[in-house]
Amino acid sequence: MITVAVGQLRPHIAQPQQALAAVERAARSASSTGADLLIVPETFLSGYAIGRAAAQRLAEPVDGEMASAVARIARRSSIAVVYGFAERGSDQKIYNAASFVSETGEHLAVHRKLHLFQSVDAEQFSPGHDRPPVVAWNGWNVGLAICYDIEFPETVRMLAEDGADLICTPTANMVGFEQVSRLIVPARAYESQLYIAYANYCGADETFSYAGTSVIASPTGDLCAAASPDAEEILTADLDRATLEEARRNLTYLTDRRLDLYGHGTAPG
């Protein structure tokens, strides 16, 4: 069993030091409750709707100064952290990315958002092109997705095919799209028999009001934890491997798919 924490936090637009301080507070709080892993929202280190010029200015490589700062936070609080940031790739393109850092500060994985959400993403970022990562950590296979990615069943299927037990999902979901937390995230967890931790903003910036309602969803389709629409909160949930294994025995969507009829993919296992 592992304990996962979701940090539902207010945005800090183009204020990376304030964002880092908020990550540290959330890490300390989550660690004090016994959590092993903390997820914070999409592009949290820069803010989400910051515009192309600010994204260019604040973007860093995956091993940049901000990444080193988060690694220090993870070590100090003895908690793994998944966080969103604006990544400057070696190709000099700017990506909406999420990084997974272990409790010892080791960089484990990075994911570039595949599905850009309307003009707000397209004006700031280039789309990722790589299959989402799944990495082994503390006896669990952990995958990464970002916001709009999780709304596509194909993304979750890819991660499930690659063995994910848990998908960590930093997000910046706006007011008006609350059905994503209420309906889509639990459905994705149920239909692919895995856990999903969905970490959203609350409050507002100059462009958007955010929906809050962060959730941790079970492979049974139930919510292990759910946040309010408008307050900063640290959600925690114990993720049980027995629940995961029972769901995989009883729900056979992945093995019953007709891949000969509807697309390319691989059967699990």
Side-chain angles (χ1 to χ4, degrees):
M1 185 173 70
I2 57 172
T3 301
V4 170
V6 163
Q8 178 168 292
L9 304 172
R10 297 186 185 279
H12 297 278
I13 297 300
Q15 296 174 312
Q17 294 307 315
Q18 291 189 21
L20 277 175
V23 172
E24 179 139 37
R25 289 192 297 271
R28 288 176 178 170
S29 176
S31 181
S32 72
T33 68
D36 303 295
L37 169 62
L38 168 70
I39 304 103
V40 299
E42 183 176 3
T43 56
F44 188 72
L45 298 187
S46 61
Y48 176 58
I50 59 175
R52 182 177 181 84
Q56 288 277 346
R57 176 169 53 85
L58 294 170
E60 289 194 354
V62 69
D63 59 352
E65 291 182 9
M66 297 291 283
S68 296
V70 176
R72 290 192 294 271
I73 289 169
R75 287 194 297 270
R76 284 196 293 265
S77 297
S78 299
I79 191 170
V81 180
V82 172
Y83 64 96
F85 71 109
E87 180 200 356
R88 185 180 304 280
S90 59
D91 56 6
Q92 296 306 306
K93 293 181 179 179
I94 308 302
Y95 297 95
N96 183 334
S99 188
F100 181 16
V101 176
S102 78
E103 62 276 19
T104 63
E106 179 187 3
H107 174 260
L108 299 178
V110 66
H111 169 61
R112 294 170 173 172
K113 191 175 185 179
L114 300 175
H115 303 90
L116 299 186
F117 181 72
Q118 299 181 1
S119 61
V120 61
D121 265 330
E123 290 173 359
Q124 301 180 100
F125 304 112
S126 296
H129 296 287
D130 296 328
R131 196 173 179 98
V134 177
V135 295
W137 170 79
N138 282 9
W140 287 67
N141 293 325
V142 180
L144 301 180
I146 299 171
C147 198
Y148 199 35
D149 285 339
I150 209 74
E151 299 178 40
F152 291 82
E154 296 86 353
T155 308
V156 181
R157 287 292 199 230
M158 278 196 293
L159 287 158
E161 288 170 355
D162 291 344
D165 303 316
L166 163 67
I167 302 175
C168 299
T169 311
T171 190
N173 195 35
M174 304 90 169
V175 168
F177 297 98
E178 291 85 353
Q179 63 270 34
V180 177
S181 330
R182 294 171 182 164
L183 299 176
I184 293 177
V185 171
R188 294 287 172 270
Y190 181 78
E191 69 193 7
S192 286
Q193 295 90 65
L194 41 71
Y195 287 95
I196 298 175
Y198 183 82
N200 197 19
Y201 288 105
C202 60
D205 55 31
E206 293 180 358
T207 307
F208 296 115
S209 294
Y210 295 99
T213 61
S214 300
V215 294
I216 302 172
S218 161
T220 63
D222 298 312
L223 294 182
C224 307
S228 69
D230 53 9
E232 289 196 318
E233 299 180 44
I234 305 295
L235 301 180
T236 61
D238 296 330
L239 308 192
D240 180 29
R241 182 160 292 283
T243 299
L244 189 68
E245 292 172 354
E246 183 177 5
R248 290 172 174 174
R249 285 194 300 270
N250 294 336
L251 304 170
T252 56
Y253 293 120
L254 293 177
T255 55
D256 293 343
R257 289 177 297 161
R258 288 293 307 273
L259 297 178
D260 57 319
L261 296 179
Y262 51 69
H264 304 288
T266 58

